[in-house]
Amino acid sequence: MARYLAQRVGQALLVVWLAYTLVFLAVQLLPSDPVTIFLTVDSAVDQAAIDTMKSQYGYDQPLAVQYLHQLAGLFSGDFGYSLASGQSVRDRISGVAGSTVALAGSAFIIAVVIAVLLVAAATLTRRNAVRRVLVNLPPLFSAIPVFWLGLVLLELLSIRWGVMSLFPDGSFLSLAVPVLVLAIIVSAPVAQVLLKGMNHVYEQPFIDVLRAKGASRSWIFFRHALKNAAGPALTITGITVGTLFAGSVITETVFARSGLGSVVLQAVTTQDVPLVQGLVLLTATVFVVVNLIVDLLYPLLDPRILKSNGQGAPRALAA
Amino acid sequence: MTSRPASSPAPARRSLRVVAMMGLTALALTACSSTSTPQAAQDTGAGGPVEGGTLVYAEVTPINNWQTQAARFYEKSNVLNSVLDRLTYFDAEQGELVPWIASEFSANAAATEFTFTIRPGVTFSDGSPLDAEAVKLNLDALGLGIESAQIQPNVDFAGYSSAEVVGENQVKVTLPSPNANFLRATSSVTAGLVSPATLKLDAAGQSAISQISGSGPFTFESEKPDEEVVLAKRADYAWAPETAENQGDAYLDRVVIKYLPEVAHRAGAVQSGQVDLVRGLQPLDEEALTASGNQVLPAEGIDLTVNMAAVRIGSGKLADENVRRALQIGIDRQSIKDTVLSDSYELAGSVLNHQAPGFVDLSDELEYQPDEARALLDEAGWDVGADGIREKDGVKLEVTVTSSNNSVVIKPAFELIEQQWREIGVKLDNRAGDNTFLATAMPDPDVEFFGTRQFIYGGLGPIFEPADNTMTHTSDEDLNVIFAAERAAAPGPERNELLAQEQRALVVDKAYSLVLWDEVQVYGAHSDTHVEFTSGTAPVFQGAWKTGG
């Protein structure tokens, strides 16, 4: 177990470092430096002003110096300064992260609930017609664009019927609607993989044994089948972090919410490179940490993984 | 929400003022009803300004840097306009600068010395006086930047060297070289005056609206970062620009600024009564909003150039003046207006807006003449190839346009131009609205067009003159001579003649600016909202009010 743990944590750190280095190099490949890019968005600027700001932010230093300086900063929690607001990147991000965590966290939980309920209903129903409708819902969910669903709901609920505000006002609906919009898109892949896994599990002989012993359909589903089908679904759940984050950017814009999504949008449109770098690092870290947690949960579901010498956790989907 | 300030003005004074206002408004209504916008006559009660109430204003994107001289974007200046006063105010109706915090201002004949007499009794919201010393500190910060706070000089104050307090309440600015545009620059929101205490803060401090102390009619009350800013009125405000209708404190108690990034909801937000005023209305939504009994309010951007495609000749394809002229007359502006714009937009007659001082109407030279354009291109040696695209020496006449996505109409406009130019054998690669491309295209002289409009507080010179200017990336010797002469000339017929030469050169003879339409920001307003705008398109909340409060 210790070896498996060390290996997974080491890999996670390597991925974060590589992600940071790649972003640093990508920025260097741009035809000019972050300050020039920031200052020249939509306006004509004096070269002297660019030069002064460049030296203030250290962008006139040699590449290696900049890289080592930035990397050293990361270890002391210094992520540099946002060019747009002058705030430190850490303050800018932490100021709004709570709002996104609330949105994405709730959406994630609701998404898992939706996925499990949908799969349970599809598996347990005795009516074929109902089952056919239910199994076709996940592909439909993944086909609905997040912004479209958000716009339609706002148009109806807020502008036509006036039951919710266009702006986040702390009311139940102003959190519930964006959470639902985001949860629907995230639930789709989880439900799809869970359904597939479930089909596989129900073909296994032990289900027949359980049936023969007289176990009820729901007992079999929740006590036995779900745990066996959960592996691949857990993997895909880790990967949905990306969907969740991308969905947050759109949801926050449509619902005029503050949060990482709106900061990403602003950072990119104003070409605030240090802020973009900080956000990429954060996203990479979250992604890696969530997948690390998934990897560490795996042996609890399937102890055989540890025996396979820490290699090849069954990341391949059951499909 | 904090509690409302105790009502300090005596009720008698207030009711008197309301009566006076009602009289004035009635007069104004009868006198100039024909010039008022047709949609504005919604108020049934013929009443004057109503005291009190909260106005909800929706901006396009959230802002988190409120540092004064960085306020070159509408999102910032529209809010800071109510928080910061300036030395002077540009009155669009009179077409001239009028006193504000400077009760008098003058320039010497050489346009190198400017004297401002500071109005007595003005205070910042932190209680400190807005006196000559405070003005000097502000001018120094604007002209020289604040190195310790990493704040750059204001670009409109180019050439600034120093200011000194003279006499009892006067400030004198001396410039090493003549600049007749300096006075106009003092009217810009980016030259807003802040308290000396604010100037001492670091960059992050000066960027936080909660810490900015100005002398404006509204002050900061509360903020939810990236979601809303609440401004409360200053009850003791009594120093509006000389020509402002309301000379006292604001009618509104509060202005709430919210953000509505989603363009599809802007009209609906007004129609459903959730906001009183919204910026960035799509032409598509204008009719529906008017039909629902609400208002479409175009605010003319007199302080800016028109919307244009600024021409860069780095790629060599547009180096020949004839080619640029061909493209200028190869644009069917009327069809742009009919297709992607609305009645709120006026087609450009020059590189300056119709109401800008010194505007010269060149619309005769801007008529759509595709045949003439083809002839010019033929003359320049660009022959039509097999695919209909012209070529010369094996190079195709393919050009690229870049622009930010800040304007809701710029991308569709270039889509139409793309079709029109195709008719004369020119291929346009439309990258308008692609901000990622913009970042690399902006400093690249090989990207032929930059779709934009710019504030011109320093005149046209600073935009087109420097060798590294991002508009054309070209420093034209002949033009620079005119720019220099214009900068030195005192306002009057002689300067207007120089302005006319600049416009003629930029639009007709050299065609560095393919002009499109006058800059205008189209606002949507609820039927109860009464608001006017500055020449920089910012809403003037000091004089705004709502029927029914």
Side-chain angles (χ1 to χ4, degrees):
Chain A
M1 181 72 197
R3 181 168 173 197
Y4 179 75
L5 192 75
Q7 206 165 21
R8 286 283 171 268
V9 171
Q11 277 176 0
L13 286 173
L14 185 71
V15 169
V16 171
W17 175 69
L18 278 176
Y20 187 79
T21 307
L22 281 176
V23 173
F24 179 86
L25 291 175
V27 170
Q28 303 309 324
L29 286 179
L30 293 175
S32 54
D33 61 285
V35 168
T36 311
I37 292 168
F38 171 70
L39 284 181
T40 48
V41 167
D42 219 6
S43 65
V45 181
D46 183 28
Q47 188 60 40
I50 294 178
D51 292 342
T52 324
M53 196 166 168
K54 240 156 93 170
S55 81
Q56 281 165 351
Y57 282 88
Y59 288 112
D60 55 347
Q61 304 278 325
L63 274 195
V65 175
Q66 284 188 45
Y67 179 71
L68 292 175
H69 184 80
Q70 288 187 16
L71 210 56
L74 294 186
F75 284 103
S76 55
D78 172 12
F79 297 84
Y81 289 88
S82 155
L83 296 172
S85 69
Q87 273 176 303
S88 76
V89 167
R90 193 174 62 175
D91 288 354
R92 182 79 184 100
I93 291 177
S94 61
V96 294
S99 169
T100 301
V101 169
L103 173 73
S106 318
F108 177 74
I109 294 166
I110 302 293
V112 171
V113 171
I114 292 176
V116 171
L117 288 181
L118 205 142
V119 172
T123 312
L124 296 176
T125 184
R126 289 172 197 276
R127 294 184 174 187
N128 251 338
V130 174
R131 186 181 151 78
R132 261 204 304 275
V133 170
L134 289 174
V135 297
N136 279 308
L137 280 180
L140 178 68
F141 286 175
S142 61
I144 297 175
V146 178
F147 73 91
W148 178 84
L149 186 61
L151 285 180
V152 168
L153 285 177
L154 269 182
E155 174 72 29
L156 291 176
L157 293 169
S158 182
I159 293 171
R160 295 268 173 88
W161 302 332
V163 293
M164 77 176 277
S165 167
L166 270 175
F167 306 97
D169 62 351
S171 65
F172 172 73
L173 274 183
S174 80
L175 181 62
V177 176
V179 162
L180 188 71
V181 166
L182 191 50
I184 284 193
I185 181 93
V186 174
S187 72
V190 180
Q192 262 169 314
V193 172
L194 196 57
L195 262 176
K196 201 89 176 173
M198 205 57 85
N199 289 341
H200 181 69
V201 168
Y202 272 86
E203 284 164 10
Q204 304 294 312
F206 79 93
I207 298 287
D208 294 333
V209 174
L210 287 166
R211 279 194 186 125
K213 283 184 171 174
S216 73
R217 290 169 64 87
S218 58
W219 176 271
I220 295 174
F221 179 84
F222 286 106
R223 279 307 174 94
H224 298 279
L226 197 54
K227 191 182 166 190
N228 274 283
L234 190 64
T235 306
I236 203 79
T237 308
I239 294 168
T240 55
V241 173
T243 318
L244 205 56
F245 195 75
S248 295
V249 176
I250 300 165
T251 312
E252 283 168 0
T253 305
V254 171
F255 290 89
R257 290 175 58 89
S258 75
L260 289 173
S262 62
V263 173
V264 168
L265 200 67
Q266 289 172 52
V268 172
T269 42
T270 59
Q271 308 286 329
D272 191 342
V273 171
L275 190 52
V276 172
Q277 275 178 296
L279 288 161
V280 169
L281 187 67
L282 175 78
T283 321
T285 310
V286 169
F287 194 83
V288 164
V289 166
V290 169
N291 282 285
L292 179 66
I293 293 172
V294 168
D295 278 357
L296 298 181
L297 283 177
Y298 242 114
L300 302 181
L301 282 175
D302 187 355
R304 284 172 297 177
I305 288 162
L306 294 179
K307 297 206 177 98
S308 66
N309 214 4
Q311 302 292 322
R315 301 302 303 255
L317 304 184
Chain B
M1 291 282 159
T2 59
S3 62
R4 288 177 50 174
S7 57
S8 47
R13 196 205 72 163
R14 174 140 308 179
S15 56
L16 197 70
R17 195 177 69 184
V18 172
V19 172
M21 279 301 159
M22 284 168 68
L24 274 177
T25 316
L27 260 178
L29 280 176
T30 48
C32 56
S33 53
S34 58
T35 58
S36 67
T37 47
Q39 302 93 332
Q42 289 296 335
D43 47 324
T44 44
V50 175
E51 294 280 341
T54 297
L55 185 140
V56 178
Y57 168 52
E59 252 301 338
V60 175
T61 56
I63 286 299
N64 37 68
N65 174 6
W66 297 96
Q67 204 280 321
T68 314
Q69 59 231 46
R72 301 191 78 81
F73 299 102
Y74 289 138
E75 287 90 343
K76 295 182 196 183
S77 53
N78 289 351
V79 174
L80 284 181
N81 184 54
S82 296
V83 178
L84 307 177
D85 293 335
R86 276 86 76 191
L87 288 170
T88 60
Y89 183 79
F90 184 79
D91 187 287
E93 258 167 62
Q94 299 186 19
E96 61 179 28
L97 283 177
V98 296
W100 194 351
I101 295 305
S103 57
E104 283 174 47
F105 49 84
S106 59
N108 67 350
T112 51
E113 271 181 27
F114 303 86
T115 312
F116 301 92
T117 306
I118 308 309
R119 183 176 181 145
V122 179
T123 54
F124 292 106
S125 58
D126 64 6
S128 62
L130 200 180
D131 53 14
E133 183 58 33
V135 170
K136 178 203 150 45
L137 292 174
N138 270 281
L139 289 172
D140 283 349
L142 291 165
L144 308 171
I146 309 171
E147 211 177 319
S148 59
Q150 306 186 345
I151 287 168
Q152 312 305 321
N154 187 319
V155 290
D156 299 326
F157 279 55
Y160 177 94
S161 58
S162 68
E164 56 175 327
V165 177
V166 292
E168 199 171 298
N169 216 6
Q170 287 192 328
V171 180
K172 193 168 93 179
V173 174
T174 312
L175 302 181
S177 59
N179 185 356
N181 298 312
F182 183 77
L183 282 178
R184 183 76 186 275
T186 63
S187 74
S188 158
V189 184
T190 62
L193 303 168
V194 297
S195 88
T198 302
L199 290 175
K200 289 204 183 79
L201 300 171
D202 62 7
Q206 294 198 36
S207 305
I209 195 166
S210 59
Q211 298 198 55
I212 293 176
S213 169
S215 62
F218 287 87
T219 56
F220 172 82
E221 184 175 283
S222 65
E223 178 185 25
K224 281 190 229 155
D226 297 319
E227 281 184 14
E228 68 170 31
V229 169
V230 181
L231 303 178
K233 83 160 167 186
R234 247 188 99 167
D236 61 346
Y237 188 79
W239 42 84
E242 193 178 86
T243 53
E245 225 171 283
N246 177 16
Q247 284 294 311
D249 57 342
Y251 305 124
L252 297 163
D253 290 331
R254 224 167 245 110
V255 174
V256 177
I257 297 102
K258 290 183 175 282
Y259 305 105
L260 200 50
E262 183 45 61
V263 68
H265 286 151
R266 299 203 186 126
V270 171
Q271 273 170 272
S272 63
Q274 297 184 62
V275 307
D276 301 301
L277 183 68
V278 67
R279 185 174 73 86
L281 205 61
Q282 299 183 99
L284 198 67
D285 291 331
E286 291 184 16
E287 211 170 310
L289 198 60
T290 325
S292 68
N294 294 292
Q295 314 170 66
V296 172
L297 305 174
E300 287 167 53
I302 302 163
D303 294 354
L304 293 100
T305 65
V306 296
N307 288 274
M308 63 172 141
V311 186
R312 284 99 166 261
I313 59 173
S315 71
K317 293 174 190 168
L318 306 183
D320 187 333
E321 281 166 9
N322 282 339
V323 177
R324 305 200 293 266
R325 276 205 292 262
L327 294 176
Q328 181 81 284
I329 57 172
I331 299 174
D332 183 355
R333 293 172 179 77
Q334 190 58 44
S335 116
I336 296 179
K337 175 160 170 157
D338 297 342
T339 315
V340 298
L341 305 176
S342 71
D343 286 344
S344 301
Y345 296 77
E346 182 166 13
L347 291 175
S350 168
V351 64
L352 297 177
N353 285 268
H354 278 79
Q355 289 189 46
F359 165 82
V360 181
D361 191 353
L362 301 168
S363 43
D364 287 349
E365 313 274 357
L366 295 168
E367 264 175 56
Y368 181 45
Q369 298 174 68
D371 292 334
E372 176 69 21
R374 285 187 200 102
L376 280 168
L377 290 169
D378 289 341
E379 200 182 310
W382 290 91
D383 301 320
V384 182
D387 56 354
I389 304 301
R390 287 170 187 272
E391 51 187 62
K392 182 181 178 180
D393 306 332
V395 180
K396 290 215 174 263
L397 196 45
E398 287 184 12
V399 289
T400 304
V401 61
T402 184
S403 89
S404 78
N405 58 4
N406 286 348
S407 161
V408 288
V409 285
I410 199 113
K411 188 165 188 264
F414 278 111
E415 279 163 6
L416 208 62
I417 292 173
E418 188 183 334
Q419 294 173 25
Q420 293 167 358
W421 282 354
R422 183 64 76 120
E423 301 278 309
I424 56 170
V426 179
K427 183 166 185 236
L428 176 66
D429 181 15
N430 183 5
R431 306 292 295 272
D434 180 347
N435 275 31
T436 318
F437 178 67
L438 176 72
T440 56
M442 193 74 158
D444 184 353
D446 290 354
V447 174
E448 285 87 1
F449 296 102
F450 172 31
T452 185
R453 73 280 199 221
Q454 302 279 339
F455 280 104
I456 46 164
Y457 293 106
L460 290 167
I463 306 178
F464 287 100
E465 189 174 1
D468 57 356
N469 78 77
T470 48
M471 304 288 281
T472 61
H473 287 290
T474 309
S475 195
D476 186 301
E477 294 301 326
D478 306 339
L479 262 172
N480 290 352
V481 172
I482 319 177
F483 285 136
E486 181 253 0
R487 201 161 30 244
E494 196 187 325
R495 182 161 182 267
N496 285 348
E497 173 50 36
L498 290 163
L499 283 168
Q501 284 180 30
E502 288 173 9
Q503 294 170 69
R504 182 161 283 280
L506 284 169
V507 178
V508 185
D509 299 336
K510 297 180 186 274
Y512 280 123
S513 167
L514 308 191
V515 299
L516 302 172
W517 61 87
D518 278 18
E519 170 58 2
V520 64
Q521 284 297 310
V522 183
Y523 288 81
H526 192 263
S527 56
D528 285 346
T529 307
H530 302 259
V531 63
E532 290 180 357
F533 303 89
T534 67
S535 51
T537 78
V540 183
F541 292 125
Q542 188 256 353
W545 52 284
K546 284 165 70 179
T547 310

